[in-house]
């Protein structure tokens, strides 16, 4: 998954925007202790957050939203790797079950991306509620939300059917299921024939599912590019 120019610049701009805030707040003893507890696997002590100005609070909240979006992007990239291989040879996990889980996870991550983008658009509208250009910003936020709903709606609909109606199906995954059963049967001749079929079937299935993952991610990258282009015109002016 390759991020396009406006998306990369949008994330970079937010990274730059948060640096002065971090420097102003500075590392505290509580933060250092929390990090130590996390690394050691100990229960983390809860502290009252340090007081922040309105501008600092705004920057931190917006950056957290961007971090969530960036996490979605990284997970989407991972699925192209997951679907390319099968790391559970000689375990009870079958190749078809693994690929089923991977594709279902990919659909779920696309749904999460949609929700994070909608949430960020809402955050923008609320943040500029008292701004002289609030009506303009609110309209842009509405356009962003509607765009995301329509552009990623296909994936949401497929995921919705998977969750509420019946499990997601794919011909290349279905093809591997009987192979998994037959190769464990008692007949040596059948197992030998199935092993030959399996070599071709697994290669073709992985290749086609990887192509599908790349296609899905390309659509997501294009949605992000248009989203960031429009959002940048409002936030970074």
């Amino acid at each position: 998954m390759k991020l396009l120019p406006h998306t990369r610049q949008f994330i970079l701009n937010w990274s730059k925007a948060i640096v002065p805030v971090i420097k102003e707040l500075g590392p505290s003893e509580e933060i250092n202790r929390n990090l130590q507890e996390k690394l050691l696997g100990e229960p983390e002590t809860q502290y009252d957050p340090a007081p922040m100005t309105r501008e600092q609070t705004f920057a931190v909240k917006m950056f957290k939203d961007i971090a969530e979006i960036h996490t979605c992007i990284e997970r989407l990239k991972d699925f192209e790797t997951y679907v390319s291989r099968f790391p559970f040879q000689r375990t009870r996990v079958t190749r078809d079950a693994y690929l089923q889980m991977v594709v279902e996870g990919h659909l779920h991550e696309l749904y999460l991306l949609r929700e994070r983008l909608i949430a960020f658009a809402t955050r923008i509208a609320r943040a500029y509620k008292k701004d002289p250009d609030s009506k303009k910003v609110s309209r842009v936020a509405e356009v962003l939300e509607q765009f995301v709903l329509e552009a990623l709606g296909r994936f949401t609909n497929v995921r919705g059917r998977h969750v509420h109606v019946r499990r997601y199906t794919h011909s290349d995954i279905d093809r591997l299921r009987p192979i998994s059963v037959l190769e464990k049967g008692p007949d040596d001749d059948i197992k030998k024939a199935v092993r030959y079929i399996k070599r071709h079937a697994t290669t073709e299935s992985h290749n086609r599912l990887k192509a599908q993952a790349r296609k899905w991610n390309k659509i997501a990258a294009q949605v992000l590019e248009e989203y960031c282009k429009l959002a940048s015109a409002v936030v970074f002016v």
Side-chain angles (χ1 to χ4, degrees):
M1 180 179 180
K2 183 179 180 181
L3 296 185
L4 300 172
H6 286 93
T7 307
R8 293 198 302 269
Q9 191 61 48
F10 189 73
I11 295 172
L12 178 62
N13 286 343
W14 273 109
S15 300
K16 290 179 179 178
I18 199 65
V19 170
V21 177
I22 295 173
K23 287 182 177 179
E24 289 171 6
L25 296 174
S28 66
E29 182 182 342
E30 291 83 2
I31 291 175
N32 292 333
R33 194 175 300 132
N34 255 163
L35 178 59
Q36 181 179 349
E37 290 168 346
K38 187 184 292 290
L39 292 174
L40 295 175
E42 298 175 350
E44 294 180 37
T45 307
Q46 300 299 315
Y47 300 100
D48 293 329
M52 292 189 291
T53 66
R54 183 172 176 273
E55 290 75 16
Q56 289 171 337
T57 301
F58 167 76
V60 169
K61 285 182 177 179
M62 296 291 271
F63 184 75
K64 284 182 177 179
D65 287 347
I66 292 297
E68 281 288 325
I69 293 170
H70 186 261
T71 298
C72 285
I73 293 169
E74 292 302 304
R75 295 295 79 79
L76 290 174
K77 292 178 181 179
D78 291 342
F79 281 108
E80 293 183 25
T81 300
Y82 296 153
V83 81
S84 300
R85 61 201 67 191
F86 177 59
F88 298 108
Q89 300 282 2
R90 297 179 183 177
T91 71
R92 68 176 305 278
V93 179
T94 60
R95 190 181 300 268
D96 60 278
Y98 167 75
L99 290 172
Q100 180 81 33
M101 182 193 69
V102 169
V103 177
E104 289 172 1
H106 197 168
L107 285 168
H108 182 65
E109 199 62 47
L110 287 163
Y111 169 78
L112 287 181
L113 176 64
R114 188 196 79 155
E115 294 302 297
R116 299 298 181 265
L117 292 175
I118 291 173
F120 188 73
T122 301
R123 176 88 70 189
I124 292 173
R126 289 175 180 171
Y128 287 86
K129 187 175 286 187
K130 296 182 179 180
D131 191 270
D133 291 328
S134 60
K135 288 186 178 180
K136 175 186 174 183
V137 174
S138 180
R139 177 57 186 153
V140 170
E142 289 176 8
V143 170
L144 286 172
E145 181 175 344
Q146 192 58 39
F147 167 67
V148 171
L149 285 170
E150 292 178 4
L152 296 178
R154 166 195 167 192
F155 302 114
T156 305
N157 292 337
V158 173
R159 177 189 174 273
R161 288 195 297 273
H162 160 70
V163 172
H164 301 293
V165 181
R166 58 175 298 186
R167 190 173 293 278
Y168 174 83
T169 60
H170 191 285
S171 58
D172 279 301
I173 296 174
D174 293 341
R175 175 189 187 185
L176 296 174
R177 287 199 178 100
I179 293 175
S180 297
V181 175
L182 291 172
E183 70 177 344
K184 296 176 183 177
D187 192 300
D188 290 338
D189 290 335
I190 291 178
K191 286 196 287 187
K192 183 178 180 180
V194 166
R195 280 196 292 270
Y196 175 78
I197 296 171
K198 180 183 176 181
R199 285 197 296 271
H200 293 278
T202 54
T203 299
E204 290 177 353
S205 294
H206 278 287
N207 287 341
R208 280 197 283 259
L209 288 169
K210 185 175 182 179
Q212 174 179 270
R214 286 176 169 172
K215 181 180 178 181
W216 288 0
N217 283 352
K218 185 177 180 180
I219 293 171
Q222 290 168 341
V223 171
L224 280 163
E225 180 70 357
E226 294 303 316
Y227 183 99
C228 292
K229 187 190 301 183
L230 185 54
S232 294
V234 173
V235 179
F236 299 112
V237 291

